[in-house]
């Protein structure tokens, strides 16, 4: 697989993100830019190669773990949580969910973050629908069932 030149940009940006974090900056534009660059790489790979990256875990495998993408994505969402940027958690979480097939790997952590963000920004009905769809897709996932129960109850409280 020919290396996408944007990997170099992503690598530089993530290094700056962690350096800024070590210097006490909670979040800055490099985190947003690095995330956007990562999603561009994913989209380009999927256009170039049928199936490209079917799963988030495949990125690390196919890049020989050079970029620690799964770890960085987790850190990114943790930073957004610390900042309380629930709008960005919602939007970027949805983008990530839509970027992959999720046939082998469950996106449970991302879905939990998305549904929590939806609730925090007042999207109560949407959080309930999201949870119900999640249960439909993964009926054996206890997290999906729990989210569905919680948000169905909250929707009734807001009605």
């Amino acid at each position: 697989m020919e290396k996408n030149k944007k990997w170099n940009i992503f690598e530089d940006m993530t290094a700056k993100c962690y350096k800024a974090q070590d210097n006490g900056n909670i979040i800055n534009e490099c985190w947003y830019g690095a995330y956007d660059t990562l999603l561009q790489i994913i989209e380009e790979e999927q256009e170039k190669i049928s199936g490209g990256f079917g799963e988030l875990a495949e990125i690390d495998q196919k890049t020989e773990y050079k970029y620690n993408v799964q770890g960085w994505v987790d850190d990114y969402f943790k930073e957004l949580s610390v900042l309380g940027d629930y709008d960005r958690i919602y939007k970027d979480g949805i983008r990530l969910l839509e970027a992959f097939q999720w046939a082998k790997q469950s996106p449970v952590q991302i879905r939990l973050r998305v549904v929590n963000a939806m609730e925090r920004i007042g999207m109560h009905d949407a959080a309930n629908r999201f949870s119900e769809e999640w249960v439909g897709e993964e009926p054996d996932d206890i997290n999906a069932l729990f989210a569905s129960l919680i948000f169905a109850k909250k929707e009734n409280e807001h009605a």
Side-chain angles (χ1 to χ4, degrees):
M1 172 169 73
E2 185 180 321
K3 182 179 172 184
N4 186 319
K5 304 285 188 244
K6 289 183 181 173
W7 279 118
N8 295 332
I9 296 167
F10 177 75
E11 186 175 33
D12 290 344
M13 292 178 94
T14 57
K16 288 177 186 173
C17 295
Y18 285 122
K19 190 171 191 170
Q21 183 183 41
D22 289 343
N23 291 332
N25 297 338
I26 294 176
I27 197 162
N28 60 34
E29 290 301 315
C30 77
W31 286 90
Y32 301 137
Y35 187 82
D36 290 338
T37 300
L38 176 62
L39 269 284
Q40 289 170 9
I41 293 167
I42 292 166
E43 290 164 0
E44 288 172 11
E45 290 300 317
Q46 289 172 336
E47 286 177 16
K48 191 167 49 173
I49 305 165
S50 178
F53 298 118
E55 306 283 332
L56 182 61
E58 285 181 24
I59 297 174
D60 284 329
Q61 292 167 354
K62 288 183 178 180
T63 60
E64 299 177 352
Y65 300 91
K66 181 174 181 178
Y67 307 102
N68 186 25
V69 171
Q70 287 189 100
W72 186 85
V73 166
D74 190 47
D75 289 346
Y76 173 71
F77 281 102
K78 285 178 184 174
E79 289 297 310
L80 292 177
S81 287
V82 168
L83 187 62
D85 192 346
Y86 298 108
D87 189 55
R88 188 88 189 200
I89 292 170
Y90 165 68
K91 289 176 183 172
D92 286 349
I94 293 293
R95 283 178 69 195
L96 194 60
L97 289 170
E98 291 174 349
F100 298 105
Q101 298 165 4
W102 302 105
K104 300 174 191 169
Q105 179 184 16
S106 173
V108 64
Q109 291 298 323
I110 299 158
R111 285 183 169 171
L112 285 170
R113 287 183 172 126
V114 167
V115 76
N116 179 52
M118 292 168 88
E119 181 65 23
R120 297 266 186 146
I121 58 178
M123 299 174 63
H124 310 295
D125 294 343
N128 185 42
R129 283 191 306 279
F130 183 88
S131 299
E132 288 174 357
E133 289 172 12
W134 181 9
V135 170
E137 292 171 18
E138 296 185 63
D140 295 332
D141 187 324
I142 192 73
N143 294 297
L145 295 169
F146 183 70
S148 179
L149 290 171
I150 294 274
F151 293 109
K153 181 181 177 191
K154 287 188 177 190
E155 181 183 22
N156 290 333
E157 290 172 2
H158 292 103

